[in-house]
Amino acid sequence: MKVLVIGGGAREHALCRSLSLDPEVTALYCAPGNAGIAEVAELHPVDALDGDAVARLATELGAELVVVGPEAPLVAGVADAVRAAGIPCFGPSAEAARLEGSKAFAKDVMAGANVPTALSYVCTTPAEIDEALDAFGAPYVVKDDGLAAGKGVVVTDDVDVARAHALACDRVVIEEFLDGPEVSLFAITDGTTVLPLQPAQDFKRALDGDEGPNTGGMGAYSPLPWADPKLVDEVMRTVLQPTVDELRRRGTPFSGLLYAGLAITSRGVRVIEFNARFGDPETQVVLARLKTPLAGLLLGSANGTLDAAPALNWHDDAAVTVVIASHNYPDTPRTGDPIEGLADVVAKDAPHAFVLHAGTRQDGDAVVSAGGRVLSVTASGKDLTQARERAYAAVGRIRLDGSQHRTDIARKAAEEA
């Protein structure tokens, strides 16, 4: 199978790494890719938001499966354009991707499917915003209705900060605060059959102890030793399958990756949000643990044949990923700094640890930073303690001027396991 992956972050590097290890994949392409992905896939330039350009590239390459990584191309209809060209595509239609592209649409779908979630108001005027903030009280949860690269949510006890964020959005969802730990659960679906993956937990705040501003994610781990063993079955029954069934009932079937962001509250599981693609950095740890070859699963989703897929196999190992971010992330990150030590990780830490590139590019012989989140250092081990030790040992070999990373990824879970 010839596979083309669209995107250029660490999520796409994780996908390409898994696909490169799949014996069914005979040729692997990525567009536009990054410096790390170039080691496992042939790179091609493309405007990832231009569906016609992506479809043309896929046709020229003879791709038999296109995998769309990021959310913006999905919301822009890139998967529709690829399918219109007669090529199987992993990723939902633009209509179904509204599940991520519009928080208000997602709330409407959840109401129709009777999926448990936070009470909320959709606001478009200052008066509606003030009314909603007053109704819920602190802590305030304010979400931009549209895509915001994982940074459109503000949770604060300060009503003025909450109101300022709400007023900066065209349309905003204000909702009740959900207590309890957060969990990410991915599922591959063809619009009817739903295959849940293993749960993961990510770390959104920039600094240790969950301090600092929200980010796209500073690290993740899997499995979750503290979680109820029945969690995946419960989420399948109350969230994932009902949502897929409701979208199909509406005539907008969802095929691709359905990502449920969940809060395990004192009143039970509640959906915080849905995403329409693999999450970053959770993908890095989930795919590190997946033993079943990936390409056949993605093709089964694209072709509507997931009901024939075998039961998923998983490594017993735990996995931890630590994000190395550039100077001043998440505000205005500095780019163009050389990255050193990548070869040391390969020489000293493989195969237990490896580096997935997020914001990097090749500059002559050097690899330099090209974004806010630069690298995802991922490691596996017999438990979270060993996986953490291996991940942080590899992080210590990498040199990037002014870089930052959290030192507490998975620490609490490892201590309590």
Side-chain angles (χ1 to χ4, degrees):
M1 192 193 318
K2 294 181 178 179
V3 183
L4 168 63
V5 176
I6 301 301
R11 165 188 44 227
E12 288 76 36
H13 193 174
L15 287 164
C16 285
R17 179 180 180 272
S18 290
L19 290 166
S20 74
L21 298 172
D22 187 334
E24 293 295 311
V25 176
T26 54
L28 182 59
Y29 312 102
C30 187
N34 63 39
I37 295 173
E39 295 175 9
V40 294
E42 182 180 299
L43 301 191
H44 291 268
V46 79
D47 177 355
L49 296 175
D50 185 337
D52 291 338
V54 171
R56 269 197 310 275
L57 176 62
T59 302
E60 289 166 10
L61 294 172
E64 293 153 293
L65 173 66
V66 174
V67 179
V68 182
E71 61 273 23
L74 293 167
V75 171
V78 167
D80 303 88
V82 172
R83 279 191 278 267
I87 301 169
C89 186
F90 179 81
S93 66
E95 190 67 22
R98 289 177 64 209
L99 202 62
E100 176 169 4
S102 168
K103 303 287 191 297
F105 176 74
K107 289 288 188 184
D108 188 58
V109 170
M110 283 188 268
N114 200 28
V115 167
T117 187
L119 298 173
S120 63
Y121 293 100
V122 180
C123 308
T124 55
T125 68
E128 289 173 346
I129 288 166
D130 290 339
E131 187 179 338
L133 292 173
D134 188 52
F136 287 127
Y140 304 98
V141 182
V142 184
K143 299 180 176 182
D144 190 333
D145 180 54
L147 294 180
K151 297 187 279 286
V153 180
V154 165
V155 181
T156 178
D157 289 324
D158 188 328
V159 69
D160 293 327
V161 171
R163 189 170 190 272
H165 182 65
L167 290 170
C169 305
D170 289 335
R171 185 158 81 150
V172 68
V173 175
I174 297 173
E175 61 185 40
E176 67 173 328
F177 176 77
L178 296 174
D179 64 323
E182 295 184 14
V183 173
S184 301
L185 186 60
F186 303 161
I188 295 172
T189 178
D190 59 7
T192 303
T193 300
V194 181
L195 285 183
L197 305 183
Q198 288 287 308
Q201 186 172 57
D202 77 332
F203 294 76
K204 287 289 187 200
R205 299 285 185 168
L207 306 176
D208 282 7
D210 292 328
E211 299 288 334
N214 254 350
T215 71
M218 294 299 291
Y221 70 94
S222 178
L224 313 181
W226 51 266
D228 187 326
K230 302 191 194 77
L231 175 65
V232 174
D233 291 340
E234 180 187 349
V235 176
M236 266 292 289
R237 186 180 72 254
T238 63
V239 175
L240 297 170
Q241 193 70 58
T243 300
V244 169
D245 292 345
E246 173 68 11
L247 285 163
R248 189 176 66 252
R249 186 188 68 76
R250 292 176 177 224
T252 55
F254 186 107
S255 74
L257 196 288
L258 178 59
Y259 165 152
L262 308 163
I264 314 301
T265 77
S266 54
R267 293 171 294 150
V269 175
R270 298 287 186 273
V271 175
I272 301 169
E273 65 176 356
F274 282 123
N275 291 327
R277 39 73 197 182
F278 279 101
D280 182 345
E282 302 97 320
T283 301
Q284 288 87 303
V285 291
V286 173
L287 291 187
R289 297 188 58 223
L290 180 64
K291 194 183 289 187
T292 302
L294 184 61
L297 298 174
L298 305 186
L299 186 63
S301 165
N303 285 341
T305 56
L306 270 186
D307 59 338
L312 300 184
N313 283 326
W314 296 91
H315 294 287
D316 292 332
D317 284 359
V320 171
T321 194
V322 179
V323 170
I324 297 177
S326 56
H327 177 73
N328 207 36
Y329 176 78
D331 294 328
T332 310
R334 191 174 78 205
T335 60
D337 289 311
I339 302 164
E340 298 176 336
L342 295 171
D344 293 342
V345 176
V346 175
K348 297 174 182 174
D349 301 292
H352 302 297
F354 52 90
V355 179
L356 298 168
H357 292 229
T360 68
R361 63 180 173 82
Q362 197 75 35
D363 184 9
D365 292 336
V367 175
V368 301
S369 60
R373 292 186 296 170
V374 181
L375 302 168
S376 286
V377 180
T378 305
S380 58
K382 68 178 188 294
D383 54 25
L384 286 175
T385 297
Q386 187 179 55
R388 283 190 84 246
E389 288 169 355
R390 288 170 169 174
Y392 280 107
V395 167
R397 301 191 206 286
I398 293 170
R399 297 174 298 285
L400 172 62
D401 186 46
S403 67
Q404 54 179 314
H405 65 271
R406 284 184 57 160
T407 65
D408 63 347
I409 302 302
R411 182 166 64 201
K412 185 180 175 191
E415 290 170 349
E416 294 175 356

